[in-house]
Amino acid sequence: MQHAKEKKFAASLSVYSNLLLILLKFAAGFISGSISIISEAIHSFGDLLASALAYFAVLRASDPADEEHPFGHGKFEELSGLAEGFLIIAVSLFIIYKAALKIASGNHEIASLGLGLAVMVFAGLVNILVSWYLFKVSKKTDSVALYADAEHLRTDVYSSLAVAAGLLAIKITGVYILDPIIAIVVAVIIFKAGFEICKNTISNLLDASLSPEDKKIIIDCIETHRSRGVLGYKDLQTRKAGSGKKIQVKIFLNPAMTIKEGHKICDSIEKMVEQKLENSAVVIHMEPRQ
């Protein structure tokens, strides 16, 4: 319950911070005429949509299992992450398109460089704080949606500071064509982040196994029960659904062991795994070793 509250607060914080930065960036972009600032405003608008998706996903993923979804609603987080990834890629391609038009137009003048520079530095600092908090909560709660949102905001940090550095360079050198060039560099950074998010979320949607580190923890928990009668294991199957980890495995027991004794061993293994891997659900099938 506490994790659900933290996730909801983090997701709502992201929404409100993005809304503030969108207004500031669009205002600075239209006043100055800078394509890189306007591109950043568009990027932040994409962040806002992504944050809204993450908030919705966190709400739905926290719903308990029901008759239609007996394994819970964790996959909503993966769907949100995938949507965010595609959204990031779409934003990056749009920025490249707008920057290319700016270069082709030959009109590279920028007004109010100081205003644009101040807004970009402020945006970078805000997103540093918000993304740090989202990464912290996503790690604590193992939330795919919050991680994708945090990654999204981290690209905004890089892009905002890159734009700020570019505006400073323009102010010093007077070379205004740097503005659309910087916008294209920012778009490439954004595209890379979107691609990585899509790759990771698709892997989870296709029920890819847990990491080798997590699987080693599971195996170690089984192995520590050899002294209690576990003779081996097979068919270890794992997958993720949002922050939930689903684990199934068969263990071999002495055929002379009673069902009650075997059940106690299974309960002990399950409890140990669930303590070491938070948000995990373990199903163990017992088989006699002939």
Side-chain angles (χ1 to χ4, degrees):
M1 181 63 70
Q2 183 61 33
H3 279 182
K5 288 181 179 179
E6 285 187 81
K7 288 162 70 173
K8 290 175 185 177
F9 175 78
S12 60
L13 175 64
S14 179
V15 170
Y16 289 122
S17 67
N18 274 312
L19 184 58
L20 171 65
L21 294 182
I22 286 170
L23 295 174
L24 289 175
K25 288 179 181 179
F26 269 121
F30 285 121
I31 290 171
S32 66
S34 167
I35 185 63
S36 59
I37 297 177
I38 293 174
S39 296
E40 265 301 287
I42 295 169
H43 183 197
S44 289
F45 183 70
D47 288 345
L48 178 62
L49 294 178
S51 297
L53 280 171
Y55 185 71
F56 169 75
V58 164
L59 288 177
R60 293 293 285 125
S62 62
D63 288 345
D66 54 33
E67 188 173 341
E68 292 186 2
H69 304 91
F71 294 101
H73 298 79
K75 290 292 185 182
F76 272 101
E77 293 207 28
E78 268 81 14
L79 288 172
S80 168
L82 183 62
E84 286 190 43
F86 281 127
L87 185 58
I88 293 172
I89 290 173
V91 167
S92 69
L93 296 176
F94 181 75
I95 291 173
I96 291 173
Y97 169 72
K98 296 295 288 185
L101 289 180
K102 183 79 171 179
I103 292 173
S105 71
N107 179 20
H108 309 134
E109 291 296 319
I110 301 175
S112 303
L113 275 170
L115 172 64
L117 185 57
V119 168
M120 287 300 101
V121 171
F122 176 74
L125 292 176
V126 169
N127 280 325
I128 284 173
L129 294 174
V130 177
S131 63
W132 170 81
Y133 181 69
L134 290 182
F135 275 123
K136 178 182 176 182
V137 177
S138 70
K139 183 177 181 180
K140 181 179 179 180
T141 63
D142 199 19
S143 170
V144 175
L146 287 182
Y147 174 79
D149 199 21
E151 194 68 60
H152 202 161
L153 289 180
R154 184 161 64 177
T155 65
D156 211 7
V157 172
Y158 298 147
S159 57
S160 293
L161 296 182
V163 170
L167 294 174
L168 181 61
I170 292 169
K171 191 176 182 65
I172 294 171
T173 64
V175 181
Y176 288 95
I177 199 173
L178 286 173
D179 183 50
I181 293 173
I182 292 165
I184 291 174
V185 172
V186 167
V188 172
I189 295 171
I190 297 169
F191 181 91
K192 184 176 182 297
F195 179 80
E196 288 298 320
I197 290 173
C198 286
K199 184 175 72 172
N200 292 335
T201 53
I202 287 173
S203 177
N204 286 344
L205 282 169
L206 295 177
D207 287 337
S209 296
L210 298 181
S211 68
E213 293 78 15
D214 285 348
K215 291 170 78 172
K216 184 179 185 304
I217 289 173
I218 298 165
I219 293 169
D220 288 344
C221 289
I222 296 172
E223 292 294 334
T224 58
H225 284 74
R226 282 189 178 271
S227 60
R228 295 185 57 181
V230 174
L231 304 177
Y233 71 93
K234 70 174 182 177
D235 297 339
L236 174 60
Q237 298 175 326
T238 63
R239 64 185 178 90
K240 281 199 71 178
S243 58
K245 301 177 179 70
K246 313 298 182 183
I247 301 157
Q248 297 182 58
V249 65
K250 295 177 182 177
I251 62 171
F252 295 112
L253 300 174
N254 189 317
M257 187 178 292
T258 66
I259 293 177
K260 184 176 181 180
E261 290 171 333
H263 194 267
K264 284 183 179 180
I265 292 173
C266 291
D267 283 347
S268 178
I269 295 173
E270 290 170 5
K271 184 177 180 180
M272 183 179 290
V273 172
E274 288 166 2
Q275 285 176 340
K276 292 179 179 292
L277 290 179
E278 197 169 4
N279 297 320
S280 60
V282 187
V283 176
I284 300 176
H285 176 70
M286 297 178 290
E287 287 191 6
R289 169 66 58 85
Q290 301 297 333

